[in-house]
């Protein structure tokens, strides 16, 4: 099948760079920009979203005897019990074309300044160097080349006295607006409405519910907020198919076309265009948007400060700046406190790797502690959530270039946390210039003013913020939870919504071809779904739907009131349509029995199928159209190479060329899956791909559907329910985690940094919506992200720099939330200090992400060379610029003593290894894991931990819940550490391996493994 031709006009694919470095089949670089509808008409793909659907379908009649629905004259819909196999078809009714040209603004929109690194370069990258966004060929030795100063827009421009433009920093071409029915647009909720919220959790700070009697007296009165009461009895389902909803979500037109009043970029607050005049810096809550959720507790309203021991006059605040006694932690108070501090003495050591072999510590490697005052470090962000490759930031780009070390951040923003402060407040305090959230590292000039730690703008402290909900005291804004926690979550008011919070929507798409049925995966998946159906994250609004496919597409009507599910078959895969949209995506609680019946019936329905074709592309299109009005999560199970319809692929793997680092196909063979993924991202749909295949399935192409829609890829090579029980167990356990873990919907994330620093490359699964705003239709606690940074302006006048990530998402309970992480690091002026603060694990993780990009844009051999040169260049720079006397040997700083070891481990990792034992899909999957895993899992996958477990002792053991947990020492990954009289456990992240020596002690065999002799140990430990 011919591939879609990219038109020269329109600029649809020339916006932002593909952050993951994919390239098209023609050799040109992929772009991570938006796609115009004209491009999507190729390959039978129509991106126009369904409207209300009623005008698309002829009138249907229900036969009361047979229970079949008839569409016109030529369609047959049968119940599942009467299904005999393919052959019952639905003919597509005529569809009226109704294109609508979206308009974001009524007037001209300024274009976003484009990053230099966002322009994809068509020239191949030379060997031995990671070179983001540069055009000049670098030398063979690897260098960190950053965009030159002035080539990129600073995140935080200086405040201008003239009029400023709107804070919407994304272009018309960056905004996804659906065509068709107006209700599919991302409409903006008018000011004065609040999100539907459940009652706050016990850990929630509830300023409206103080402990004990309310205080008396207080500051100047504040206007009371009057939340609207809601009923629990009548749960109203929102209508996404009407231009105006009951809660004031309206859509206006301009010359006949839709105009979206806001965008996610405006909501979260752009980092490029500051709009203090036009933005509401402290949005307040006035009424609730209703799905019959309890109203949001009011802000600190009608509460008076305690007067015990305080004269009334002390509570009258003067209007002008006053001296304020604060235990300050800001940058302008640290000169004296930081003097005399020094790093741990170990950091000053110089190691000769030729003399010292056992460099690996016996305990888990800890990240370096930044050289900060203890009061600041106590409040700093947990490195498991947010860490930098250099815990001492160089003052200038020239100093960073001398170190030959990459500067970047690694994030795990949605990690499961045992304790997370949640603030419910009508006021979210942010900088009026750069929109940074207030955090522990700002400076309070007095009770009424605070200075932003990113752009240094002086801001007013809102009246409400003067009251501390924990101490119930006025006049201590620096003791508020927001200023005492570097990781915090806010309940977002309605100003942070483009539409009512979406319901949790889950659609499962199953391959039911002959090859799929042979693997037996459908039994395991359906059983897992049955077991975990009640554990799916959600509430009374949760919706679910199912689609199966072989050479045709099968839908399942689960309408409440049916005695059994009904199958609807669509054989027109060239122009797919949705036959009964109102009955295919149903409320889980209302139709649970039908859903359970379907899951019990599905594995037997296709047991005798002989259909070998796979129409994956049309199945994805149909699921996308079904989910477009609301968004949600699409789970796709595929077992072979797609062979029919849009997105059909041909085998590309040649087993004899596996060992050739230059001839393997790491790039997609078609743009179809990327284009569809970008459409999914625009409609808040994430696609998770489960590939269960024993044959080549071109994961390089299929993986794009998850990569650009913020989904995940799961791969089970040679899956078979009888021949490969290990993979069956792996699927069941991962599926349980996948179905029950926390999930965030319709999310966006922005990373901000102190003025003078800039972010130029992102790594992970997402779509870059507007230069620095990451679109995440779904966010899960197992996803990690990385960014590369540069020093644009000298930091000589700065002692501290800060980084802040803000993740705006909708919880499965329908709450709009903002999770904020803030990291603070010192600025240094010498090369020695830069090396002392190097985080070798973070550096290795960032280099692995860069190497994946290099493998795709250039070649695998180039990526391997660049990894090796990374070590050579950095250690050479240390030897020449830091060491005073050139001692013989391989001298390294203590902080980088494991750098060569980790890079050697990366070269053996499946992503970058050479040899014929790595199948192409397995290599691609390993690369997907590198790009999407949090750092802790990436390091375990790259360099596993080895323990001896047959001689455990209580030395150094942990006592958790009255249980003693032994902590055996970590061993070097060397065969000399193994012995035949022991048992060893290797933790490789996603798999545990137990190696038992032939002469292992009898006590271990009987008491731990439950066998009497070594010969009776089973091959698979169930």
């Amino acid at each position: 099948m011919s591939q879609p031709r990219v038109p020269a006009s329109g600029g649809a694919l020339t916006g932002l760079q593909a952050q993951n470095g994919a390239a098209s089949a023609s050799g040109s670089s992929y772009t991570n920009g938006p796609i115009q509808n004209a491009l999507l008409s190729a390959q039978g793909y129509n991106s126009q979203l369904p409207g209300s659907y009623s005008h698309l379908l002829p009138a249907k009649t229900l036969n009361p005897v047979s229970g079949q629905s008839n569409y016109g004259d030529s369609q047959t819909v049968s119940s599942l019990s009467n299904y005999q196999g393919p052959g019952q078809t639905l003919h597509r009714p005529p569809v009226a074309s109704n294109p609508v040209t979206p308009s974001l603004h009524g007037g001209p929109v300024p274009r976003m300044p484009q990053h230099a690194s966002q322009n994809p370069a068509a020239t191949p990258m030379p060997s031995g160097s990671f070179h983001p966004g540069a055009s000049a060929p670098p030398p063979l030795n690897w260098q960190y080349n950053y965009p030159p100063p002035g080539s990129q827009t600073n995140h935080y421009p200086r405040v201008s006295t003239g009029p400023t433009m709107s804070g919407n920093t994304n272009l018309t071409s960056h905004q996804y607006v659906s065509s068709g029915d107006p209700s599919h647009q991302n409409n903006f909720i008018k000011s004065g409405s609040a999100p539907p919220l459940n009652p706050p959790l016990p850990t929630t700070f509830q300023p409206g519910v103080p402990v004990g009697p309310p205080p008396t007296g207080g500051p100047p009165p504040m206007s009371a907020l009057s939340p609207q009461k809601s009923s629990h009895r009548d749960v109203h389902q929102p209508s996404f198919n009407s231009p105006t909803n009951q809660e004031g979500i309206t859509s206006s037109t301009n010359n006949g076309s839709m105009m979206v009043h806001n965008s996610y970029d405006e909501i979260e607050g752009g980092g490029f265009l500051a709009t203090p005049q036009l933005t509401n810096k402290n949005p307040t809550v006035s009424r609730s948007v209703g799905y019959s959720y309890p109203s949001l507790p009011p802000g600190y309203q009608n509460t008076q400060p305690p007067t015990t021991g305080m004269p009334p006059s002390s509570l009258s605040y003067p209007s002008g700046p006053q001296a304020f006694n604060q235990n300050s932690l800001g940058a302008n108070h640290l000169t004296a406190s930081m003097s005399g501090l020094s790093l741990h003495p170990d950091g000053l050591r110089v190691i000769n790797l030729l003399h010292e072999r056992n460099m690996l510590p016996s305990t888990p490697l800890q990240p370096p502690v930044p050289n900060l005052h203890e009061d600041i470090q106590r409040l700093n962000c947990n490195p498991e959530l947010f860490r930098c490759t250099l815990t001492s930031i160089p003052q200038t780009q020239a100093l960073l270039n001398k170190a030959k070390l990459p500067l970047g951040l690694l994030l795990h923003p949605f990690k499961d946390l045992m304790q997370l402060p949640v603030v419910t407040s009508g006021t979210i305090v942010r900088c009026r210039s750069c929109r940074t959230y207030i955090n522990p590292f700002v400076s309070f000039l007095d009770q009424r003013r605070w200075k932003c730690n990113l752009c240094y703008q002086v801001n007013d402290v809102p009246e409400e913020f003067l009251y501390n909900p924990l101490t119930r005291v006025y006049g201590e804004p620096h003791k508020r939870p927001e200023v005492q926690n570097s990781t915090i979550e806010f309940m977002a008011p309605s100003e942070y919504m483009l539409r009512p919070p979406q319901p949790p929507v889950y659609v499962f798409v199953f391959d039911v071809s002959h090859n799929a049925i042979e693997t037996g995966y459908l039994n395991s998946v359906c059983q897992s779904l049955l077991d975990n159906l009640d554990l799916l994250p959600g509430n009374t609004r949760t919706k679910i739907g199912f689609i199966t496919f072989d050479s045709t597409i099968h839908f399942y009507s689960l309408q409440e009131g049916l005695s059994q599910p009904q199958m609807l078959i669509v054989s027109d895969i060239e122009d797919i349509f949705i036959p009964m949209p109102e009955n295919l995506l149903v409320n889980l609680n209302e139709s649970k029995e039908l859903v359970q019946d379907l899951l019990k019936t599905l594995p037997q329905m296709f047991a005798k199928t002989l259909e070998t074709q796979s129409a994956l592309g049309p199945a994805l299109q149909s699921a996308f159209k079904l989910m477009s009005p609301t968004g949600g999560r699409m789970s796709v199970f595929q077992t072979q190479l797609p062979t029919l319809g849009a997105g059909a692929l041909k085998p590309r793997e040649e087993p004899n060329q596996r060992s050739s680092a230059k001839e393997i196909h790491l790039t997609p063979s078609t743009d179809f899956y990327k284009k569809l993924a970008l459409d999914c991202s625009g409609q808040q749909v994430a696609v998770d791909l489960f590939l269960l295949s024993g044959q080549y399935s071109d994961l390089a192409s299929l993986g794009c559907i998850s990569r650009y829609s913020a989904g995940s890829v799961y791969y089970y090579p040679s899956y078979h329910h009888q021949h490969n029980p290990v993979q069956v167990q792996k699927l069941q356990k991962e599926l349980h985690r996948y179905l029950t873990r926390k999930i965030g919907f319709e999310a966006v994330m922005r990373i901000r940094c102190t003025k003078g620093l800039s972010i130029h490359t992102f790594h992970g699964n997402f779509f870059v919506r507007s230069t620095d705003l990451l679109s995440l239709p779904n966010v899960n606690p197992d996803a990690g992200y990385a960014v590369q940074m540069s020093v644009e302006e000298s930091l000589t006048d700065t002692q501290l720099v800060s980084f802040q990530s803000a993740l705006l998402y909708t919880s499965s309970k329908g709450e709009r939330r903002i999770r904020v992480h803030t990291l603070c690091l010192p600025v240094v002026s010498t090369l020695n200090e830069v090396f002392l603060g190097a985080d070798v694990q973070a550096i290795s993780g960032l280099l692995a992400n860069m190497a994946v990009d290099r493998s795709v844009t250039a070649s695998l051999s180039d990526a391997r060379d660049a990894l090796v040169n990374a070590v050579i260049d950095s250690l050479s720079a240390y030897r020449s610029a830091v060491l005073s006397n050139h001692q013989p040997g391989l001298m390294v700083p203590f902080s980088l003593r494991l750098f060569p070891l980790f890079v050697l481990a990366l070269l053996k990792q499946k992503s970058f290894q050479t040899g014929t034992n790595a199948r192409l899909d397995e290599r691609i999957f390993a690369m997907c894991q590198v790009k999407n895993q949090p750092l802790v899992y990436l390091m375990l996958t790259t360099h596993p931990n080895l323990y001896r477990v047959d001689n455990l002792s209580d030395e150094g053991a942990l006592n958790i819940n009255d249980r003693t947990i032994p902590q055996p020492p970590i061993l070097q990954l060397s065969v000399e550490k193994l012995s035949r009289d022991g048992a060893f456990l290797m933790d490789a992240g996603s798999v545990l391996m137990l190696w038992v020596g032939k002469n292992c002690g009898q006590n271990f065999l009987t008491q731990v493994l439950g066998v009497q002799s070594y010969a009776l140990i089973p091959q698979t430990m169930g």
Side-chain angles (χ1 to χ4, degrees), residues 551-571:
S551 61
T552 56
I553 313 300
H554 320 133
F555 300 90
Y556 297 89
S557 175
L558 302 169
Q559 185 180 15
E560 185 182 14
L562 292 177
S563 59
Q564 57 186 354
Q566 290 184 338
M567 172 186 277
L568 300 90
I569 305 174
V570 175
S571 60

Side-chain angles (χ1 to χ4, degrees), residues 1-6 13 23-25 30 35 39-47 573-574 576 614-624 642 644-649 668-680 700-706 708:
M1 175 175 287
S2 61
Q3 305 303 327
R5 181 175 62 87
V6 179
L13 289 176
S24 65
Y30 263 65
I35 300 211
L39 287 178
L40 304 179
S41 59
Q43 291 190 345
Y45 176 60
N46 184 3
S47 68
I573 62 173
E574 294 301 324
I576 202 70
S614 172
L616 174 63
L620 293 173
Q621 290 175 336
S622 59
F624 165 64
L644 282 182
L649 302 172
S669 60
T670 174
D671 287 345
F672 170 80
Y673 294 99
K674 179 182 177 181
K675 293 176 181 178
L676 181 55
L678 296 184
D679 259 1
C680 288
S701 299
L702 297 182
C704 291
I705 190 66
S706 298
Y708 294 103

